[in-house]
Amino acid sequence: MPDFLKNLFDGLKKIFGRTNSKLFIGAVVFFALSFFIVIKGTSPGYMALKVDEVAPSNIQSSTTAVVYDEIQTEELRKQAAERVQKVYNKDQAAIEDSANFVNLFFEDMFAILAYPETEREGALAGLFDQLLKEPAQRANASKEDLAGYWQGQTVEEVQQIQTLLAGLVQGIMEDTITEEKLPSVNEQAALQISYLNFPQPELDTMQYILVNATRPNLIFNQEATDEEIRKAVEAVPEVTKTVKAGEIIVREGDRVTPEQISILEQMGYLRSNSFPYTIVGLALFVLLTMWLGFKYMQRYYKDSETYERSILLMELVFLFILILTFFIFMIKISDQPRISDLIGFVAPVAAGTMLITILLDYRLALFWCFLMSVFVGVLSDSNQLYYAIVSFVGGTIGVFKVHYISQTSDLAKAGLYVALGNVITIIIVLMISGNLELTVIAAGVVIGAINGIFSAVLMIGTLPFLETVFGITSMMKLLELSNPNHSVLRRLLMEAPGTYHHSLMVGNLAEATAGAVGADAMLVRAGAYYHDIGKLRRPEYFIENQNNFGNPHENMAPVLSSLIVTSHVRDGVEMAKEAKLPQSIIDFIEQHHGTSLLKFFYNKALKNQEDKMIISEEGFHYEGPKPKKKETALVMLADAVEASVRSLPEPSSDAIRKMVKSIVNDKLQEGQLSDSDLTFKDLDIIIDSFCHVLEGIYHKRIAYPDMVVKEFEQRIEKHGGFGNQ
């Protein structure tokens, strides 16, 4: 058993350590929590009430809703169904059978009258026995009496009765006769016969034959009748009633009626029979939104190095906003339902979208803004569309305002813009709904402003936490790192001013080019500022910091010089970690030289060494690695270009362009750009941009003539300086 548990634990550890397993577990947790929140939000506080129970308290509607009066509608539909006439089809065979019955009866009688006189009465008694089916008929006239009467009649007298009776039957059967109508038809026929002037036995015979011959000539069509009933029922419109917000549905102490139970079920206060379908529907809704979100991430961000962290961050931000919205809907801000319903406009969707924009990407934020807005609408029990609209507009404005920020105060300004957008949108939806009460509009304006401020505060407060947990360098962090008052940059300014100035120039060069090649300009600038901080360990060994104090490398072995120069990368990484700089900045320090060769010291070593085979080129290379991204590759090129152009004796436009092209081509030929995403088109753009910036820096100055200089000097002496003019 212990071995089994150990193997099971090891297996689970391997599973959970895999990327796909982490994403799967995260997705399961995300679904479970989202589904739980949606279920709690859409079906709050179910009551346990039954028909005829006494209500323990008042049940008041929290929103205005139109409900279906099931009982009244069913009663009207029942009445409509009862009014539908049955559908019959004409039975031609019944008419023929009726006439045949009369003819056959008299054919039998004619045949019996031809019998010998001794056999005639018994045969006629058997024939009349078939007619006298009912006990009442037998009581009026017996078969023997009728047989005794007709055995003495002639054929002509019988034919007269046959002709008369056939006409009566034909006339009766031409009318419509249903099963229900048959008794009354027979009564009318018997009454009609009783008026004839014939002996009683003949009248009784005609009556009995008529009763047996007459039959329903309409067949009931069940299918057609059901169809008519269905049409009649469907034609009855649903009876609805409007339950106003604040209206008491059930009063305390009253017995609950079926109608009230139906209203409570429709408004979500009682679980109806369709509740299991509601559960399944909500589960499918959550799964659908999850699938859309993950497919979007997979399609556009699968190749990103932070793909896994991005998904987990998205799930966390989404759940955070969803939970806050759930609790916001539980707040009651007023006893007036119209004002209380406005609480849904506080849902801080803008906080989530601004966090996603700052930490990940604005396009991703816009997509998830839509999903979060839909969930806000689902969580509410009224004004669902209006809540979703305001959330989407506010969230979208938040994305646009923090897409690119240049200073920290921009975050607070974004909150104000969100507030303004919310206020305008809330007024618009109130106008659409026709809710133009001054108090409601004023409350909506206040709530819209609160939403914007609350979203900004929430975003600013959670941003550092998310940056730390997920190891993401946001725009805010980059702004903080780019601040000249940062301790590392201040130290660089004081201890290595030449390197500091060089870093600023590299930052300007790289930042000016970043946007054109699809690189993150803010990250490029911050990375350039810190790429050479390793030189703080030995600033005097780098030419930009030597001024007129001499170059110590002149009296050193090339190998030692190479070791000192290349060590500034390793020293920079150590200093960055001590200063707790993010990994994205450390990448610039590690990769800004790649695995380049220090050609100056290598050639110097070759020149000083007679046996050139002893010199190893490996000792004169940077340790690397090569740049992995556009941003680090851009800083590598800007670093090399800035240093080289600064060494030009006459930095003319042609000289600058020639130098820039030479350096870019050298880095390309050395394979330093092979791991980056830069294309040949990007390199052409970089060359043009570098040349444009450098030509602006090293442009020619106007040489003032001696006459102009003397005139300036005279004016200064006359007026005592420019400040007095």
Side-chain angles (χ1 to χ4, degrees):
M1 183 63 74
D3 293 338
F4 168 75
L5 291 176
K6 183 177 182 299
N7 293 333
L8 179 62
F9 176 78
D10 292 340
L12 291 174
K13 187 176 180 181
K14 290 180 180 179
I15 292 175
F16 292 151
R18 296 172 185 168
T19 299
N20 292 337
S21 299
K22 291 179 180 178
L23 295 178
F24 175 76
I25 294 170
V28 170
V29 173
F30 175 74
F31 169 77
L33 291 177
S34 299
F35 180 63
F36 175 77
I37 294 170
V38 170
I39 285 293
K40 293 293 292 182
T42 55
S43 54
Y46 279 123
M47 305 171 186
L49 282 179
K50 296 181 181 178
V51 175
D52 208 35
E53 283 189 359
V54 177
S57 61
N58 288 338
I59 302 176
Q60 188 177 18
S61 174
S62 62
T63 180
T64 298
V66 177
V67 297
Y68 163 54
D69 192 336
E70 182 178 357
I71 297 175
Q72 183 65 23
T73 302
E74 288 302 318
E75 180 62 27
L76 293 176
R77 288 176 176 175
K78 182 179 178 181
Q79 295 175 6
E82 291 174 349
R83 288 193 297 268
V84 174
Q85 298 293 327
K86 293 182 179 179
V87 179
Y88 293 91
N89 295 334
K90 193 76 172 180
D91 187 3
Q92 191 65 35
I95 299 174
E96 295 174 358
D97 290 344
S98 179
N100 291 336
F101 179 84
V102 174
N103 293 332
L104 289 173
F105 179 84
F106 282 99
E107 286 177 5
D108 290 341
M109 181 177 284
F110 290 141
I112 293 172
L113 291 177
Y115 288 175
E117 189 174 348
T118 55
E119 300 177 6
R120 194 180 300 168
E121 185 174 356
L124 287 172
L127 180 62
F128 283 109
D129 186 56
Q130 298 176 10
L131 292 178
L132 305 178
K133 296 179 180 180
E134 300 295 333
Q137 294 173 338
R138 294 179 183 275
N140 293 332
S142 65
K143 61 183 180 180
E144 291 82 5
D145 295 339
L146 293 176
Y149 175 79
W150 283 103
Q151 71 171 343
Q153 301 300 315
T154 63
V155 173
E156 290 76 10
E157 291 176 332
V158 174
Q159 288 178 339
Q160 183 181 3
I161 297 298
Q162 179 186 8
T163 302
L164 176 62
L165 194 58
L168 287 174
V169 170
Q170 182 180 2
I172 292 172
M173 292 301 293
E174 286 178 354
D175 195 7
T176 56
I177 304 174
T178 63
E179 192 71 39
E180 296 82 358
K181 192 178 177 181
L182 182 61
S184 64
V185 171
N186 288 332
E187 290 179 4
Q188 291 293 328
L191 182 62
Q192 185 178 0
I193 290 173
S194 67
Y195 292 142
L196 299 176
N197 189 17
F198 286 93
Q200 189 62 42
E202 293 184 9
L203 293 177
D204 291 339
T205 300
M206 286 190 290
Q207 180 180 351
Y208 299 149
I209 293 174
L210 189 64
V211 168
N212 283 273
T214 306
R215 61 201 61 194
N217 57 11
L218 293 179
I219 299 175
F220 175 59
N221 190 329
Q222 183 68 54
E223 183 178 350
T225 303
D226 291 341
E227 178 65 19
E228 291 299 318
I229 292 174
R230 185 188 66 78
K231 291 180 179 179
V233 169
E234 290 181 351
V236 177
E238 291 185 349
V239 179
T240 59
K241 60 182 296 186
T242 301
V243 179
K244 295 288 186 180
E247 179 180 342
I248 295 178
I249 303 173
V250 182
R251 294 188 179 277
E252 181 181 357
D254 289 351
R255 291 189 177 186
V256 183
T257 65
E259 180 185 3
Q260 290 170 331
I261 289 291
S262 175
I263 293 173
L264 292 174
E265 287 179 348
Q266 293 179 63
M267 298 192 70
Y269 297 110
L270 285 178
R271 286 185 181 176
S272 62
N273 294 331
S274 63
F275 182 70
Y277 298 103
T278 302
I279 296 292
V280 174
L282 290 174
L284 293 176
F285 167 74
V286 175
L287 285 174
L288 176 63
T289 52
M290 282 181 59
W291 180 80
L292 289 174
F294 293 152
K295 288 297 290 184
Y296 186 86
M297 292 282 293
Q298 191 177 47
R299 183 176 182 85
Y300 297 106
Y301 299 94
K302 184 66 181 289
D303 297 333
S304 173
E305 295 180 0
T306 59
Y307 174 67
E308 303 164 28
R309 287 183 298 170
S310 298
I311 289 181
L312 295 176
L313 176 61
M314 289 299 316
E315 293 171 343
L316 182 61
V317 171
F318 187 91
L319 288 174
F320 178 56
I321 300 302
L322 201 61
I323 292 171
L324 283 177
T325 302
F326 171 74
F327 285 109
I328 285 171
F329 276 117
M330 297 175 64
I331 300 173
K332 184 177 181 180
I333 59 175
S334 174
D335 292 331
Q336 298 182 36
R338 289 190 174 185
I339 295 179
S340 185
D341 285 347
L342 299 177
I343 189 64
F345 295 129
V346 184
V349 171
T353 59
M354 288 190 288
L355 283 171
I356 297 170
T357 303
I358 294 172
L359 294 171
L360 297 175
D361 181 72
Y362 78 95
R363 292 163 296 186
L364 191 62
L366 287 174
F367 180 79
W368 282 87
C369 176
F370 168 74
L371 295 184
M372 285 189 282
S373 300
V374 172
F375 269 79
V376 169
V378 171
L379 281 177
S380 63
D381 57 1
S382 64
N383 300 323
Q384 295 177 328
L385 178 62
Y386 297 153
Y387 291 149
I389 290 174
V390 173
S391 298
F392 182 75
V393 171
T396 304
I397 292 174
V399 171
F400 292 154
K401 299 314 295 184
V402 300
H403 172 43
Y404 185 83
I405 53 179
S406 58
Q407 51 191 357
T408 308
S409 60
D410 290 343
L411 297 180
K413 293 178 181 178
L416 296 177
Y417 281 105
V418 171
L420 179 61
N422 286 338
V423 168
I424 295 174
T425 311
I426 289 173
I427 293 175
I428 291 173
V429 298
L430 289 177
M431 293 173 64
I432 294 173
S433 64
N435 196 352
L436 299 177
E437 293 183 12
L438 186 59
T439 54
V440 176
I441 294 177
V445 170
V446 173
I447 286 175
I450 290 174
N451 178 297
I453 297 171
F454 176 54
S455 297
V457 171
L458 198 62
M459 177 263 296
I460 294 171
T462 55
L463 186 59
F465 169 77
L466 294 176
E467 284 180 339
T468 303
V469 171
F470 290 91
I472 296 176
T473 307
S474 68
M475 289 185 287
M476 283 300 301
K477 186 66 175 178
L478 294 175
L479 280 175
E480 178 186 335
L481 293 173
S482 300
N483 192 330
N485 291 321
H486 192 282
S487 58
V488 176
L489 295 182
R490 286 189 63 82
R491 184 183 170 192
L492 190 65
L493 174 62
M494 300 303 296
E495 300 180 20
T499 300
Y500 177 81
H501 181 265
H502 162 71
S503 299
L504 294 182
M505 294 293 293
V506 171
N508 292 336
L509 268 179
E511 183 181 16
T513 311
V517 297
D520 187 339
M522 195 172 292
L523 177 61
V524 165
R525 181 177 64 180
Y529 285 178
Y530 290 88
H531 79 283
D532 268 346
I533 61 173
K535 294 180 179 180
L536 283 170
R537 292 278 175 89
R538 305 174 188 85
E540 67 278 4
Y541 284 89
F542 297 91
I543 192 169
E544 66 267 22
N545 299 314
Q546 291 171 357
N547 296 327
N548 297 322
F549 300 109
N551 187 350
H553 292 289
E554 294 178 355
N555 301 319
M556 295 175 62
V559 175
L560 182 58
S561 295
S562 174
L563 181 62
I564 292 173
V565 172
T566 56
S567 66
H568 86 276
V569 173
R570 185 170 54 255
D571 293 337
V573 172
E574 293 176 358
M575 294 177 65
K577 291 180 179 179
E578 291 175 2
K580 297 182 179 180
L581 297 182
Q583 182 60 44
S584 57
I585 299 300
I586 296 176
D587 290 342
F588 284 91
I589 300 173
E590 287 182 321
Q591 302 171 19
H592 76 278
H593 281 298
T595 57
S596 300
L597 174 68
L598 278 80
K599 295 181 180 179
F600 177 81
F601 293 114
Y602 178 64
N603 291 330
K604 182 179 178 181
L606 292 177
K607 184 178 179 181
N608 295 341
Q609 183 67 35
E610 295 181 0
D611 188 358
K612 297 182 181 180
M613 294 303 295
I614 300 177
I615 302 299
S616 174
E617 186 178 315
E618 294 181 2
F620 294 88
H621 278 279
Y622 284 96
E623 296 179 1
K626 298 176 183 178
K628 304 295 183 184
K629 298 180 181 179
K630 286 184 177 181
E631 288 81 4
T632 51
L634 194 55
V635 170
M636 166 189 271
L637 296 175
D639 179 38
V641 164
E642 197 282 329
S644 300
V645 170
R646 184 157 32 92
S647 66
L648 289 175
E650 293 185 6
S652 62
S653 297
D654 292 340
I656 289 174
R657 180 167 290 274
K658 183 178 180 181
M659 177 64 74
V660 171
K661 283 186 176 181
S662 174
I663 292 172
V664 171
N665 288 331
D666 286 347
K667 295 298 182 184
L668 184 63
Q669 295 298 324
E670 291 176 8
Q672 300 300 321
L673 307 177
S674 59
D675 294 342
S676 68
D677 297 331
L678 291 176
T679 64
F680 287 108
K681 182 179 179 180
D682 291 336
L683 293 179
D684 290 336
I685 294 173
I686 289 170
I687 291 172
D688 291 339
S689 180
F690 280 179
C691 291
H692 177 73
V693 175
L694 291 170
E695 288 170 5
I697 296 173
Y698 296 103
H699 65 274
K700 293 183 178 180
R701 270 68 174 177
I702 299 176
Y704 289 101
D706 291 341
M707 291 178 59
V708 176
V709 173
K710 290 180 179 179
E711 184 177 350
F712 279 149
E713 291 176 351
Q714 291 175 358
R715 288 185 179 182
I716 291 173
E717 292 177 359
K718 181 178 181 180
H719 298 285
F722 292 106
N724 296 327
Q725 293 181 358

